[in-house]
Amino acid sequence: MADHSGTPRPQGSETRNEASERSGSKYPEVPTGDTRFTPPAPAPSNEVESLEGWGFEDTRFVVKPDGSTVLTGTRYNISNVALPDLMPWFAGKLASPLGYDNRNEPHYPPEIPAARKNDKLVAALREFLAEDQLTDDPKQRLRRGHGHTGGEIWAIRYRKVDRVPDLVVFPRSHDEVVRLVEVATKHGAAIIPFGGGTNVTEALRIPLSEERLVIAVDMRQMNRILWIDTVNRMACIEAGATGRHLMSELAKYGFTMGHEPDSLEFSTLGGWIATNASGMKKNRYGNIEDLVLDMQVITPQGIVERPQQAPRESVGVNPRQYMFGSEGNFGIITTAVVKLFPLPEVQRYGSVIFPDLKTGLSFLYALQKSGAVPASVRVMDNTQFHFGQALKPAKHGLAAKLKSEIEKAVVTKLKGFDPYKLAVATIVFEGSKEEVEFQEKTLYRIAGEHGGMKGGGANGERGYQLTFGIAYIRDLTFEHWAIAESFETSVPWSRAMDLYERVQRRVEKEHAAMGLPGKVFFTGRLTQVYQTGVVIYFYLGFYAKGVADPVAAYAALEHAAREEILAAGGSLSHHHGIGKIRRGFMNDVYSEGALALNRKVKAAIDPDNLFAASNSGVNGPVALTRDEEAH
């Protein structure tokens, strides 16, 4: 029987047991009818996110007078412990004087542009929105006017943002979004959807040519799970649900969506769809386009929605496909129906040390062909390995120090690995006991055939979980005169190592040609694997003290890296998206016919450009100068 009372019906319900008893079979029959239920709404969260940097307000890296670094708070496995080697390591890599006494003091908030006003529009919105669902507070408007590129965070801390939304609205239902779009259309306003604000593509930057009142639609109060179907393993979830809340709520009923991007804690379901996102456990659960069965989208032409969902269909051109990677250009995603997976019976971590990155790549290639790819397997280059070492607390006590020295001796003496060439794989196994045992046995056999050495489960877990803590590092480096950012690509197996090496040589060459201080910071890791290739995720940075325009210099350096990626056979992006940073390269990856098609789709869906994000070049010519990219 269907239960929409709001009371969760657990797996192994009475309906299943009763059906099994009636049939006389030892196996339960498939329940019939509507098997959905509506879970109770979660309690409101009291977690406060930072307005001036990454993450939670109570969490940031701080350099102490003794030179050690501490991550404040208690959220992560490196929180609230002294990290004596981190800043000295960064200083060495950048060949620059990073340290406690060399501080680039932020000046947040910057000067914030005054809001455009439209009293009639606000009055129309107040007819169906509560007082606390609208604000023109300057800091709140500023936060919805930027994402998390290095240039944007540098701007709000050290410069200014020239254009921000004029009004922020917080809808709480699909129907409120429908009415909001109607009001904005009637009163000549523009709309930019806002999810978690975690993008690194300048997707939220408002074009300076936009003269209309701009409404930022913050979706995060639409964060409920509307229904769960444990039989058919689906759920309907509002698009503003952040990854951390979505996963914790689904886990209460024994399920996961399995989508874990680096930004999991703060990015939203709607944002994942709009950027065509990928997660760290893609190997097991799939990318976002594999996980989403259906969605509701409010467009200027009406509501895109379906009466029901099927496992797979051939129904002509499905309008929902336009929404994957749409980047806010076509409408607002309000809900999505997604696939669910039972929480894994077994979850184990592992790690393997290889003599170098090239060997690690060969290992991944053989592993992919074996059919035993675990939920997550990532191979870090030597720089990222040492970065991880620098994030370890000081060793205390004779036993801990002795253990560390023995481990180093085994790797460098017994195995003969060069500590300045070796690479490390961190691994997450998930599934049934049998699946995990098969994956472990196969993976470690292949690793051994490639000269790999087991590094232990503790190191694997630490490496995986560090992903969330180290996201705060970028903001720390800004405060000590370094600017850095990440970018990514996917590339065929046969071109992967060449691409990595070419990008490294190119950024080193450009850094020197530009006369930038110290040495360029460059590192990469091999992340998600496919039958046809692999993803490479890069970090790039440099010491910026004395540089006239650090943001423009970084933009030029990353622009050169992206040129080299394309020349070496890599994709323009794997999961970050296009936004405005990459749209100048669209002519290199699409034919004019393809670009014209996208522009005509935009013109047909949104002829008045109500959704005015202007991402991906759908509004017209896509060529940009470097100065425009570094805006």
Side-chain angles (χ1 to χ4, degrees):
M1 296 177 62
D3 180 0
H4 294 282
S5 65
T7 302
R9 183 168 62 191
Q11 290 180 271
S13 63
E14 289 185 2
T15 301
R16 294 191 192 187
N17 295 335
E18 289 169 357
S20 177
E21 289 173 6
R22 285 196 303 272
S23 69
S25 169
K26 66 178 180 178
Y27 299 107
E29 291 182 357
V30 178
T32 59
D34 188 352
T35 52
R36 299 176 297 174
F37 67 87
T38 301
S45 172
N46 59 2
E47 296 173 309
V48 180
E49 295 179 19
S50 172
L51 292 177
E52 58 178 302
W54 181 263
F56 295 105
E57 190 175 68
D58 62 2
T59 304
R60 58 190 293 263
F61 279 102
V62 176
V63 179
K64 300 294 187 180
D66 65 1
S68 66
T69 305
V70 173
L71 181 63
T72 61
T74 57
R75 296 178 183 274
Y76 304 101
N77 57 7
I78 56 171
S79 293
N80 205 28
V81 295
L83 307 172
D85 299 328
L86 183 58
M87 287 303 281
W89 180 79
F90 268 126
K93 290 299 294 183
L94 293 170
S96 301
L98 276 69
Y100 174 77
D101 295 321
N102 187 16
R103 182 167 166 79
N104 182 22
E105 192 67 44
H107 305 292
Y108 178 87
E111 178 186 347
I112 301 172
R116 288 165 169 78
K117 302 291 185 180
N118 186 326
D119 293 339
K120 291 183 178 179
L121 178 145
V122 171
L125 292 174
R126 291 206 184 279
E127 290 179 7
F128 62 94
L129 297 176
E131 183 72 25
D132 61 353
Q133 288 181 266
L134 304 150
T135 184
D136 61 1
D137 175 80
K139 286 186 180 181
Q140 297 300 323
R141 292 190 297 112
L142 173 65
R143 177 63 191 95
R144 276 77 184 177
H146 69 84
H148 269 279
T149 66
E152 288 170 306
I153 300 304
W154 193 278
I156 67 168
R157 288 183 164 201
Y158 303 108
R159 292 182 173 179
K160 65 177 182 177
V161 177
D162 293 321
R163 184 74 165 92
V164 300
D166 304 295
L167 184 67
V168 182
V169 176
F170 304 90
R172 293 174 182 156
S173 71
H174 170 87
D175 290 342
E176 286 184 352
V177 178
V178 172
R179 295 188 66 181
L180 167 62
V181 170
E182 292 171 350
V183 169
T185 301
K186 179 180 178 179
H187 291 275
I191 290 175
I192 295 184
F194 182 92
T198 61
N199 76 84
V200 285
T201 63
E202 291 192 353
L204 290 168
R205 178 163 63 82
I206 300 172
L208 294 180
S209 59
E210 182 54 72
E211 294 295 333
R212 295 172 293 178
L213 183 147
V214 175
I215 303 172
V217 183
D218 188 320
M219 296 295 291
R220 287 178 297 176
Q221 291 190 25
M222 290 182 60
N223 57 11
R224 295 167 298 168
I225 299 175
L226 299 180
W227 53 258
I228 297 176
D229 186 335
T230 61
V231 175
N232 297 301
R233 296 183 181 179
M234 298 186 293
C236 182
I237 303 171
E238 290 182 317
T242 59
R244 69 182 188 271
H245 294 141
L246 187 157
M247 295 306 178
S248 64
E249 289 303 305
L250 290 175
K252 294 177 181 178
Y253 308 100
F255 285 92
T256 180
M257 191 176 155
H259 186 74
E260 294 192 13
D262 291 5
S263 62
L264 171 71
E265 296 166 293
F266 309 104
S267 54
T268 63
L269 174 58
W272 299 341
I273 296 169
T275 56
N276 207 28
S278 180
M280 294 183 285
K281 295 177 181 177
K282 183 280 310 177
N283 300 335
R284 180 171 180 83
Y285 302 103
N287 291 316
I288 194 65
E289 68 271 23
D290 305 309
L291 293 167
V292 173
L293 294 166
D294 209 352
M295 65 184 81
Q296 281 184 307
V297 188
I298 314 303
T299 79
Q301 300 302 317
I303 303 171
V304 176
E305 60 184 344
R306 300 284 307 286
Q308 59 189 18
Q309 297 77 41
R312 199 257 182 189
E313 299 174 291
S314 178
V315 289
V317 178
N318 191 329
R320 78 175 185 194
Q321 296 305 119
Y322 290 120
M323 303 308 156
F324 290 106
S326 57
E327 298 191 337
N329 287 311
F330 298 149
I332 298 180
I333 301 160
T334 57
T335 68
V337 177
V338 301
K339 298 177 186 177
L340 300 182
F341 301 84
L343 288 173
E345 177 187 358
V346 175
Q347 181 187 71
R348 283 205 283 268
Y349 293 89
S351 62
V352 179
I353 305 169
F354 294 101
D356 51 44
L357 185 62
K358 186 175 182 180
T359 305
L361 175 67
S362 297
F363 155 75
L364 286 180
Y365 180 62
L367 180 64
Q368 196 282 325
K369 291 200 296 182
S370 75
V373 179
S376 175
V377 54
R378 301 183 295 176
V379 178
M380 300 179 290
D381 70 4
N382 189 258
T383 296
Q384 281 196 41
F385 163 71
H386 285 285
F387 182 21
Q389 298 301 108
L391 282 163
K392 288 185 175 181
K395 297 285 191 303
H396 296 291
L398 180 61
K401 293 178 181 178
L402 183 61
K403 181 176 182 290
S404 177
E405 291 303 315
I406 291 173
E407 289 172 347
K408 290 178 183 177
V410 170
V411 173
T412 59
K413 300 285 196 310
L414 186 60
K415 293 291 289 185
F417 289 176
D418 183 338
Y420 297 100
K421 290 184 179 179
L422 63 81
V424 177
T426 59
I427 305 148
V428 184
F429 301 96
E430 287 189 357
S432 67
K433 182 173 180 290
E434 292 78 10
E435 283 179 303
V436 169
E437 287 178 352
F438 168 70
Q439 290 174 359
E440 286 183 314
K441 181 179 178 180
T442 306
L443 183 146
Y444 290 125
R445 173 182 59 78
I446 293 171
E449 292 169 355
H450 286 76
M453 172 186 173
K454 282 188 179 182
N459 285 326
E461 181 175 9
R462 186 174 179 279
Y464 187 83
Q465 298 300 332
L466 270 178
T467 299
F468 305 112
I470 65 174
Y472 295 86
I473 288 282
R474 193 271 313 274
D475 295 347
L476 166 70
T477 63
F478 283 7
E479 295 177 15
H480 296 272
W481 291 104
I483 187 167
E485 191 48 84
S486 63
F487 54 97
E488 33 61 75
T489 185
S490 62
V491 59
W493 290 105
S494 60
R495 297 185 175 188
M497 203 64 218
D498 177 59
L499 183 147
Y500 173 92
E501 292 170 348
R502 284 179 61 169
V503 174
Q504 182 173 21
R505 289 194 299 268
R506 179 70 182 273
V507 297
E508 289 173 349
K509 177 183 176 182
E510 295 288 337
H511 181 272
M514 293 166 66
L516 297 170
K519 293 180 180 179
V520 68
F521 181 86
F522 174 85
T523 181
R525 64 174 178 261
L526 312 173
T527 57
Q528 296 97 319
V529 299
Y530 295 89
Q531 178 179 333
T532 54
V534 66
V535 176
I536 309 180
Y537 197 98
F538 295 106
Y539 292 95
L540 175 66
F542 59 89
Y543 184 65
K545 192 171 187 177
V547 176
D549 190 342
V551 172
Y554 178 85
L557 199 59
E558 189 179 309
H559 187 281
R562 201 167 289 118
E563 286 181 336
E564 202 65 34
I565 284 172
L566 294 177
S571 68
L572 183 56
S573 175
H574 172 257
H575 59 271
H576 281 172
I578 302 301
K580 299 175 183 70
I581 280 188
R582 295 181 174 89
R583 67 182 180 179
F585 287 93
M586 294 297 279
N587 289 318
D588 297 319
V589 299
Y590 282 120
S591 69
E592 176 51 36
L595 293 172
L597 178 63
N598 282 342
R599 291 194 293 267
K600 288 177 180 178
V601 170
K602 166 67 174 178
I605 295 174
D606 187 12
D608 297 320
N609 195 29
L610 174 67
F611 291 92
S614 297
N615 293 319
S616 307
V618 297
N619 290 84
V622 296
L624 294 178
T625 66
R626 289 188 182 183
D627 286 343
E628 287 174 312
E629 286 192 320
H631 173 81

